[in-house]
Amino acid sequence: MCYPAVSLAPLLYCNPCVFHWAQRNAEHIVPLYCFDPGHYLGTANYNLPRTGPFRLRFLLDSIQDLRTSLIQRGSTLVVRRGRPQEVVGDLIKQLGSVSAVAFHEEVVPEDQQVERGVRDICSQMKVKVHTCWGSTLYHRDDLPFNHLSRLPDVYTQFRKAVETQGRVRPVLPTLDQLKPLPPGSGLDEGLIPSPEDLEQTDTVRDPRSAFPCSGGETQALARLQHYFWDTDAVATYKETRNGLIGLDYSTKFSPWLAIGCISPRYIYQQIKKYESERTANQSTYWVVFELLWRDYFKFVGAKYGDRLFDIKGLQDKSIPWKKDMNLFNAWKEGRTGVPFVDANMRELALTGFMSNRGRQNVASFLTKDLGLDWRMGAEWFHYLLVDHDVSSNYGNWLYSAGIGNDPRENRKFNMIKQGLDYDNNGDYVRHWIPELKGIRGGEVHAPWTLSSASLSHALVSLNDTYPSPIVMAPEWSRHTNKKPTGAGPSTRGKTGPSHTPKQHKDRGIDFYFSKSKNF
């Protein structure tokens, strides 16, 4: 009996139930990854590329690593380019005796449409379909809600319910040996394409990147080993997670999670092991807390479907968003004249990565200060982020725009205060905006407030070497004339968790803040 295990998305690591099911139910297995041309078209509203060079490189690394891993287990990864339903149909015809096709279920309507296409071709060819749910910490069937339609619209309610009434399933064991491809089938494993084959550009790694890592399960497990067991960095995660420079201020698991190179359940298992063998504190819990946010947005996507992408959001709220391309281009190119925004946007453009702190701020700036259509920002992130996850990205942008899963309204970040709070010496800004390197300390966050003599001494000429702000918010003035307080040692060139700003006690969770604070 021949059995091709088909994955429509690169989630073969984090959903081993596909392989376990195939191992139990088939004589032969054909693991398949399909490069869907739809992943390289333009985005829905602003026709930005869907897959940028950093995520593509990470994906190609991951596929190569997966193929190597499968070969070590007596199998291989078959790679094809084309629409998944057509690729699957062609393989069924070529193999001739396929009993079933299995794949991992997705929640985004566009992906579900592809799944329906595969189901239809299998139905026409009298081949069974088996699907598995994966990629979340809590399995969909184990949620303490009768139906996803009853999923709470506030994260805290969801978190409390799953923590008290839900359960995390144990990690499935790694299969040491897989059933081989059908003998005598003449099945060519296929070449893993290059970026050029896919009509995309390759990346050049920037040495300043906070994520200088490669894709694949091998690298994901090495990262966990480093962050948990080699350095104990996880024990201070809650204090360092708002850092901006270096690799170890946060877990950096998100790129591997996004394409399935590591399972959230495996991370959870390792957290519990770490807590048992070394220490359990707020930081170790906070890693799980963030995994729950990821789960929540995935289930929100399953609940609301296409409304995740609607301009009115989940709240059906009409806001007169602007669509000024000049403002948008200044934002995405890091030339707004607001250094904390520009530094983050340049980091994203040059590396495909941006800290959580940066994402919150640039999203607030685009939606609240510039008043631009939130989908412009979401689609730019969709294009560039190495760790792009559809549900998390669009869910967070809806939240920032005030039309998502937010129980309170009118949250807005103060760009100057945020810069002084989290980059008090200005090291991060100078890290990414070298034309401002002559401005010392926190004054770099508001160069337009400096005297002509100070700017001249720093070799800065506003509107020449660096732009004046394209917008000014009145609340900034409360901080532009103040010197930063509590400034710690310079973070320039430092990568360890001790060199990142300590989490402020009055701050809430990563993307969400106390109502009474002027952010």
Side-chain angles (χ1 to χ4, degrees), residues 297-309:
F297 280 127
K298 187 77 71 174
F299 294 128
V300 166
K303 175 180 178 178
Y304 284 104
D306 278 331
R307 288 179 63 185
L308 202 65
F309 314 101

Side-chain angles (χ1 to χ4, degrees), residues 95-147:
L95 294 169
S97 56
V98 174
S99 62
V101 170
F103 56 82
H104 166 272
E105 293 181 53
E106 288 291 345
V107 302
V108 178
E110 199 170 80
D111 293 335
Q112 292 176 336
Q113 184 177 356
V114 175
E115 292 175 11
R116 286 192 293 272
V118 172
R119 290 179 186 273
D120 289 345
I121 196 70
C122 288
S123 176
Q124 295 169 22
M125 304 181 81
K126 304 293 190 294
V127 173
K128 294 179 181 179
V129 169
H130 177 81
T131 63
C132 289
W133 177 267
S135 83
T136 54
L137 180 60
Y138 285 86
H139 193 283
R140 176 184 56 193
D141 297 341
D142 298 336
L143 295 177
F145 317 108
N146 293 333
H147 192 272

